[in-house]
Amino acid sequence: MTYKSLIAVIVVVSAAFACKSSNTREPGMTFTQEELVILNQSDSVMYLTVIGDKSDSLILRKVSRDFTDEELQSKEFKTLARNLLATVQDPSQDGVGISAPQVGLNLRMIAVMRYDKDDKPIEPYANVHITYLSQNIKSGPEGCLSVPNYRGIVPRSDSIIVSYYDINSGTHKTDTIGGYTAIIFQHETDHLEGILYIDRADSVFFSQASADERKLFEQQGAYTKPAWWPYK
Ligand code: ZN
């Protein structure tokens, strides 16, 4: 190999590497291009992923990653926190919690209605992890914006400890939480592990739609049915 052809190989290989990295990451950012498309396409209410849609279900079943320190400081991060709140509080949804996979992003952010605080605010939490689950289990009804028209009876710990990045103060915090708020935290952090309440439920029942709508939903068949799923 001549000196010139060696240089040519190095240039081609470098270009290939540069091309590969620019396809997935913006310079100075760590979000992928795919994530940036979703992060930048909405300025309020976002598209909700549903388990009956095949490509949505792949997102809902994937484990979400933490934000990097750089991402925590980005404008996209702050926009996502604001848009998650707008989406869960949209009158057509009227939810008590939401997670980033439900708006198409496998990133570790949730929003939770704080029943344990005055005025019951819905607050966003990033890089949230449950570090303790009490042994004391209670079962109660749950629904999910991504599993429309169903509800289930789900056993959950009545007390938990969560660690998270607090968006308002910009610091990492740990909280002990109980009651219904603890149930919402468990439901939403499950989403970040690719787990849906129907996986944990003792029973699931059809809540609203007609028999025809139920049949259509089941025919879409993209979700994973647990062994006890009552509708064949
Ligand atoms: Zn849910």
Side-chain angles (χ1 to χ4, degrees), residues 118-139:
D118 292 341
D119 302 331
K120 300 182 177 60
I122 298 185
E123 297 179 345
Y125 299 90
N127 292 358
V128 58
H129 294 266
I130 294 181
T131 58
Y132 167 81
L133 291 158
S134 74
Q135 301 279 320
N136 198 17
I137 307 292
K138 288 179 183 165
S139 289

Side-chain angles (χ1 to χ4, degrees), residues 31-43:
F31 291 117
T32 65
Q33 291 287 1
E34 292 80 5
E35 288 164 350
L36 284 171
V37 166
I38 296 172
L39 286 163
N40 290 320
Q41 76 186 3
S42 172
D43 60 0

Side-chain angles (χ1 to χ4, degrees), residues 171-217:
T171 58
H172 294 274
K173 288 188 174 176
T174 300
D175 272 352
T176 301
I177 295 164
Y180 189 46
T181 307
I183 291 166
I184 305 171
F185 264 100
Q186 288 170 80
H187 178 116
E188 302 308 336
T189 50
D190 266 356
H191 273 298
L192 305 180
E193 308 299 337
I195 297 168
L196 297 168
Y197 83 87
I198 55 173
D199 306 335
R200 297 194 187 277
D202 293 328
S203 61
V204 170
F205 51 92
F206 202 65
S207 63
Q208 287 173 17
S210 67
D212 282 350
E213 286 170 321
R214 187 179 89 188
K215 201 172 170 188
L216 185 67
F217 175 70

Side-chain angles (χ1 to χ4, degrees), residues 102 143-146 187-188 191:
Q102 292 178 276
C144 180
L145 300 177
S146 294
H187 178 116
E188 302 308 336
H191 273 298

Side-chain angles (χ1 to χ4, degrees), residues 43-59:
D43 60 0
S44 62
V45 177
M46 300 179 79
Y47 169 78
L48 262 179
T49 53
V50 288
I51 198 67
D53 179 275
K54 191 165 186 177
S55 60
D56 287 359
S57 73
L58 295 176
I59 296 166

Side-chain angles (χ1 to χ4, degrees), residues 58-70:
L58 295 176
I59 296 166
L60 289 166
R61 288 308 191 174
K62 202 173 154 191
V63 177
S64 292
R65 67 167 178 87
D66 279 327
F67 293 88
T68 64
D69 289 343
E70 186 182 27

